[in-house]
């Protein structure tokens, strides 16, 4: 994959993911604001209903009190004519005169001021009634001025009725004047307010804790809930008990301590789903990105592997060709000693290529789980000595030395001798390859509990922290710049890791750049 295209793809994927997250955040904020606005509308409607109901309840209570007073005292109200008017109509055809009259009468009840616990002299409560009269006179009984001479009509119809509109207006003015002088705690109780507010909130679907208080001219009164605390962002108010001029000195304040929690609870289900889906997208994105990066790395490693394999096969093939050409030379073909030497060279190079192919096949079989690993009881120290014999020729060629310290008192383990010998050989070959000077290798065994520890120390190049974490990955080789003096294709240690894992063991490396490495293998002992 082209590097520029890869970077562009990652950038577009990242921008898309960030866009999705930002859209989710914007949606959440918008939904929260909408819920807050709906909450405000519901609360304002609730407070309006509460204010109306407490005023109506006070009016009903006052009206009952007035009626009870009128019924209990037996006082006869004082009647007073407020207004009276007449309308005269004369019909020339019938020679009859019709006189319409209408009058409004008020009944005044003198109520003792002590009845309302007030300190002024007296109060008057009025009720109004109307009287409508229709009188019909013959023409002879009416003089020219339109007034009856005998004052006895030929027909008289009289109707009485109440004036509800005047009664209501009079009552409202009267009761507001009276109650305005009462203290707030006598007009409404906190229990009544609690019940009314709770009922209205439940009917509006606002099921969250509330606190309230009645303020008089911006000062708190005794009519309040126990835990009321003013909060600018969660407190709503409305005027209550307005007077005859429409003004009110009282304010009902209701606050919601858990307002945010309530608003969020309405979004919790859809928000959780949104978060879950966003997390899934994040995980999928991270996984996809990781796979892309790994595929790119594997592609680079495989290219490196092919180059190394080609390089390692090219040398033995070239050597074999040269040896064959030499043998075909008439001067050499008769020299038995030289022919045998060239044949040995061909055999050694062929063996070397065969070993490389075997490494690749071993890894392939391990991954497919086709490699047959039969485990038997063996002495680990014998396996180590066999491995040392395998690398002796390479070691002698580099004039290196291997020293052993077999400190383990128990060294019998259940292993496959062939594969485990290859494990030790691979580690020793790495120690020799990565020693720029004369290889100096130390092998130590020791017991810890029911385990045997095998340590292979060298004084070679060492490796970085990053390399230590990835050294057992297939095809991985630490970059050494443009220097390619160390042959290999990154399969040996991957093979080591798989074989040790199949033996229920552990393998890891401790290293420091420029100071060498120590490969440590832990295997369970046979009890």
């Amino acid at each position: 994959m082209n590097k520029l295209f890869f970077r562009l793809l990652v950038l577009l994927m990242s921008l898309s993911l960030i866009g999705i997250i930002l859209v989710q955040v914007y949606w959440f904020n918008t939904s929260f604001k909408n819920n807050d606005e709906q909450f405000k509308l519901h609360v304002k409607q609730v407070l309006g209903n509460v204010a109306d109901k407490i005023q109506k309840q006070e009016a009903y209570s006052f009206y009952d009190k007035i009626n009870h007073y009128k019924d209990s005292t037996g006082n006869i109200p004082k009647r007073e004519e407020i207004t009276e008017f007449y309308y005269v109509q004369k019909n020339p055809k019938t020679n009859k005169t019709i006189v319409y009259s209408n009058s409004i009468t008020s009944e005044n009840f003198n109520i003792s001021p002590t009845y309302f616990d007030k300190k002024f002299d007296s109060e008057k409560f009025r009720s109004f009634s109307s009287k409508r009269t229709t009188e019909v006179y013959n023409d002879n009984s009416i003089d020219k001025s339109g007034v009856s001479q005998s004052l006895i009509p030929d027909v008289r119809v009289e109707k009485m009725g109440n004036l509800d509109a005047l009664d209501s207006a009079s009552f409202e003015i009267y009761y507001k004047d009276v109650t305005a002088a009462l203290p707030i705690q006598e007009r409404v109780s906190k229990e009544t307010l609690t019940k009314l507010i709770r009922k209205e909130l439940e009917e509006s679907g606002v099921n969250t804790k509330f606190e309230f208080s009645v303020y008089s001219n911006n000062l708190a009164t005794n009519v309040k809930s126990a835990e009321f605390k003013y909060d600018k962002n969660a407190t709503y108010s409305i005027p209550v008990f307005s007077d005859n001029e429409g003004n009110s000195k009282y304010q009902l304040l209701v606050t919601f301590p858990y307002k945010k929690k309530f608003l969020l609870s309405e979004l919790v289900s859809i928000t959780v789903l949104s978060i879950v889906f966003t997390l899934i997208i994040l995980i999928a994105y991270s996984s996809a990105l990781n796979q892309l990066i790994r595929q790119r790395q594997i592609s680079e490693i495989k290219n490196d592997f092919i180059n190394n394999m080609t390089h390692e096969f090219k040398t033995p093939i070239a050597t074999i060709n040269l040896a064959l050409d030499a043998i075909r030379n008439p001067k050499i073909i008769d020299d038995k000693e030289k022919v045998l030497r060239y044949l040995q060279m061909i055999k050694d190079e062929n063996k070397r290529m065969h070993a490389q192919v075997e490494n690749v096949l071993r890894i392939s079989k391990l991954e497919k789980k086709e490699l047959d690993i039969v485990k038997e009881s063996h002495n680990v120290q014998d396996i180590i000595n066999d491995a040392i014999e395998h690398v002796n020729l390479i070691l002698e060629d580099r004039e290196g030395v291997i020293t052993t310290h077999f400190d383990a008192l128990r060294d019998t383990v259940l292993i496959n001798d062939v594969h485990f010998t290859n494990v030790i050989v691979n580690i020793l070959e790495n120690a020799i390859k990565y020693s720029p000077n004369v290889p100096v290798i130390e092998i130590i065994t020791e017991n810890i509990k029911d385990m045997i520890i095998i340590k292979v120390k060298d004084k070679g190049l060492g490796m970085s922290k990053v390399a230590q974490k990835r050294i057992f990955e297939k095809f991985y080789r630490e970059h050494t710049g443009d220097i390619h003096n160390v042959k290999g294709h990154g399969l040996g240690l991957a093979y080591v890791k798989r074989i040790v894992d199949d033996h229920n063991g552990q393998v890891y490396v401790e290293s420091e750049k420029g100071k060498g490495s120590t490969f440590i293998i832990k295997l369970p002992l046979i009890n």
Side-chain angles (χ1 to χ4, degrees):
M1 186 185 291
N2 183 277
K3 188 178 287 187
L4 181 61
F5 177 74
F6 176 76
R7 288 179 178 175
L8 182 61
L9 183 63
V10 171
L11 178 64
L12 290 174
M13 289 172 65
S14 301
L15 288 175
S16 299
L17 183 61
I18 292 168
I20 289 171
I21 294 171
L22 289 176
V23 167
Q24 295 288 340
V25 172
Y26 173 77
W27 171 85
F28 180 82
N29 287 335
T30 303
S31 299
F32 186 83
K33 288 178 181 177
N34 289 339
N35 281 6
D36 190 29
E37 289 299 320
Q38 289 182 359
F39 184 84
K40 287 179 182 178
L41 289 174
H42 286 312
V43 171
K44 286 181 179 178
Q45 184 178 4
V46 164
L47 293 182
N49 292 341
V50 169
D52 288 343
K53 286 185 176 181
I54 60 174
Q55 188 131 16
K56 286 178 180 178
Q57 284 184 5
E58 183 184 51
Y60 293 151
S61 175
F62 188 86
Y63 187 76
D64 287 342
K65 202 170 185 178
I66 291 295
N67 286 338
H68 179 72
Y69 176 82
K70 291 193 293 183
D71 294 339
S72 62
T73 57
N75 289 340
I76 299 173
K78 182 181 178 182
R79 291 180 177 273
E80 180 181 351
E81 295 287 341
I82 295 177
T83 181
E84 185 175 0
F85 63 90
Y86 295 89
Y87 174 73
V88 179
Q89 180 181 356
K90 187 172 182 180
N91 191 335
K93 293 182 180 181
T94 60
N95 291 322
K96 289 183 179 180
T97 301
I98 303 173
V99 179
Y100 300 96
S101 65
N102 199 335
S103 64
I104 297 175
T105 306
S106 71
E107 294 181 341
N108 298 331
F109 293 88
N110 289 323
I111 301 174
S112 172
T114 57
Y115 191 69
F116 298 108
D117 298 325
K118 293 184 67 176
K119 296 180 180 179
F120 43 81
D121 294 336
S122 65
E123 285 293 333
K124 291 183 179 181
F125 175 72
R126 291 186 177 189
S127 63
F128 297 90
S129 60
S130 64
K131 183 173 70 173
R132 298 182 298 279
T133 306
T134 304
E135 297 176 341
V136 180
Y137 296 89
N138 289 325
D139 195 37
N140 296 330
S141 60
I142 303 293
D143 61 15
K144 293 182 180 181
S145 64
V147 179
S148 173
Q149 295 177 356
S150 63
L151 298 178
I152 299 174
D154 298 309
V155 179
R156 179 183 176 86
V157 179
E158 186 175 289
K159 292 183 179 180
M160 300 290 291
N162 295 325
L163 294 175
D164 293 336
L166 277 176
D167 282 347
S168 296
S170 173
F171 170 75
E172 185 172 352
I173 293 170
Y174 177 65
Y175 109 81
K176 284 187 177 181
D177 283 343
V178 172
T179 55
L182 298 175
I184 188 63
Q185 58 268 25
E186 293 184 20
R187 301 184 72 176
V188 66
S189 66
K190 65 179 182 180
E191 289 78 12
T192 300
L193 274 177
T194 302
K195 290 178 181 178
L196 276 175
I197 295 171
R198 180 178 290 113
K199 182 182 177 183
E200 292 293 330
L201 287 174
E202 287 176 355
E203 289 178 357
S204 297
V206 182
N207 299 312
T208 183
K209 183 180 178 182
F210 67 91
E211 303 291 339
F212 68 89
S213 177
V214 177
Y215 274 52
S216 174
N217 296 323
N218 298 322
L219 296 175
T221 66
N222 292 329
V223 182
K224 63 178 181 178
S225 57
E227 299 178 13
F228 177 83
K229 289 182 181 178
Y230 180 80
D231 180 358
K232 182 180 178 182
N233 296 320
T235 302
Y236 304 87
S237 65
I238 192 169
V240 291
F241 298 126
S242 58
D243 57 20
N244 286 313
E245 285 73 36
N247 301 321
S248 175
K249 66 177 181 178
Y250 296 112
Q251 292 276 330
L252 172 61
L253 278 68
V254 180
T255 186
F256 300 89
Y258 305 123
K259 174 187 170 183
K260 285 186 178 179
K261 186 177 179 181
F262 172 73
L263 295 177
L264 288 172
S265 67
E266 295 187 336
L267 297 172
V268 67
S269 57
I270 193 70
T271 302
V272 167
L273 283 175
S274 176
I275 291 171
V276 168
F277 289 135
T278 303
L279 285 175
I280 291 171
I281 293 171
L282 274 171
I283 292 168
Y285 169 76
S286 302
S287 178
L289 186 59
N290 184 54
Q291 289 297 321
L292 282 172
I293 293 170
R294 285 184 65 82
Q295 287 298 323
R296 184 174 177 81
Q297 289 174 343
I298 289 170
S299 177
E300 292 174 354
I301 290 168
K302 282 184 177 179
N303 289 335
D304 190 33
F305 164 72
I306 291 168
N307 292 335
N308 283 327
M309 286 291 288
T310 304
H311 181 77
E312 290 199 13
F313 281 167
K314 189 184 291 183
T315 302
I317 289 169
T319 303
I320 290 170
N321 284 333
L322 288 172
L324 288 172
D325 288 342
I327 291 171
R328 291 170 62 187
N329 191 318
K331 294 179 181 179
I332 294 176
I333 198 167
D334 295 329
D335 189 338
K336 187 176 180 180
E337 185 180 345
K338 286 186 178 180
V339 169
L340 290 173
R341 185 160 65 87
Y342 284 130
L343 287 173
Q344 185 62 42
M345 287 175 62
I346 291 170
K347 185 178 180 181
D348 290 342
E349 293 302 325
N350 185 61
K351 185 179 179 181
R352 181 178 167 189
M353 285 194 296
H354 185 266
Q356 300 295 346
V357 172
E358 280 298 317
N359 268 337
V360 176
L361 290 175
R362 281 196 204 105
I363 291 295
S364 178
K365 286 182 178 180
L366 276 173
E367 288 192 343
K368 294 178 182 177
K369 297 183 179 179
E370 294 175 356
L371 198 62
D372 187 21
I373 300 178
V374 179
K375 300 169 188 174
E376 295 177 351
S377 177
H378 289 281
N379 186 304
V380 168
Q381 293 175 174
D382 292 342
I383 300 292
I384 294 171
N385 287 327
D386 287 344
I388 292 171
E389 288 296 324
H390 279 76
V391 298
N392 257 340
L393 290 175
I394 305 172
L395 194 66
E396 287 174 3
D397 185 58
R398 294 283 306 276
E399 298 179 350
V401 61
I402 295 177
T403 57
T404 59
H405 301 281
F406 295 147
D407 299 327
L409 299 177
R410 294 180 296 159
D411 58 3
T412 305
V413 293
L414 192 66
I415 57 174
N416 181 288
D417 57 338
V418 175
H419 286 296
F420 205 78
T421 301
N422 288 335
V423 166
I424 303 299
V425 168
N426 272 309
I427 294 174
L428 291 174
E429 283 181 345
N430 269 342
I432 295 168
K433 281 195 297 185
Y434 286 95
S435 295
N437 302 318
V438 176
V440 178
I441 302 168
E442 188 178 1
I443 302 176
I444 303 166
T445 64
E446 59 184 17
N447 292 126
I448 297 178
K449 295 183 179 180
D450 292 330
M451 306 285 288
I452 185 168
I453 312 299
I454 305 166
K455 295 181 180 179
V456 180
K457 293 184 178 181
D458 66 61
K459 297 181 179 178
L461 294 171
M463 62 187 81
S464 64
K465 296 290 183 183
V466 175
Q468 290 177 49
K469 293 178 180 178
R470 301 190 60 195
I471 196 69
F472 296 105
E473 293 179 14
K474 190 175 66 169
F475 301 126
Y476 180 79
R477 294 177 72 237
E478 187 175 16
H479 292 290
T480 55
D482 295 328
I483 301 170
H484 300 286
N485 55 337
V486 178
K487 304 292 188 295
H489 38 74
L491 291 175
L493 290 178
Y495 169 76
V496 167
K497 172 72 173 169
R498 296 296 295 269
I499 293 296
V500 173
D501 286 346
D502 279 350
H503 284 78
N504 299 317
Q506 299 174 32
V507 60
Y508 55 93
V509 64
E510 294 176 353
S511 182
E512 189 175 344
K513 201 77 172 174
K515 294 185 179 181
S517 304
T518 301
F519 282 84
I520 301 168
I521 298 173
K522 292 182 179 180
L523 289 173
L525 292 163
I526 296 176
N527 293 324

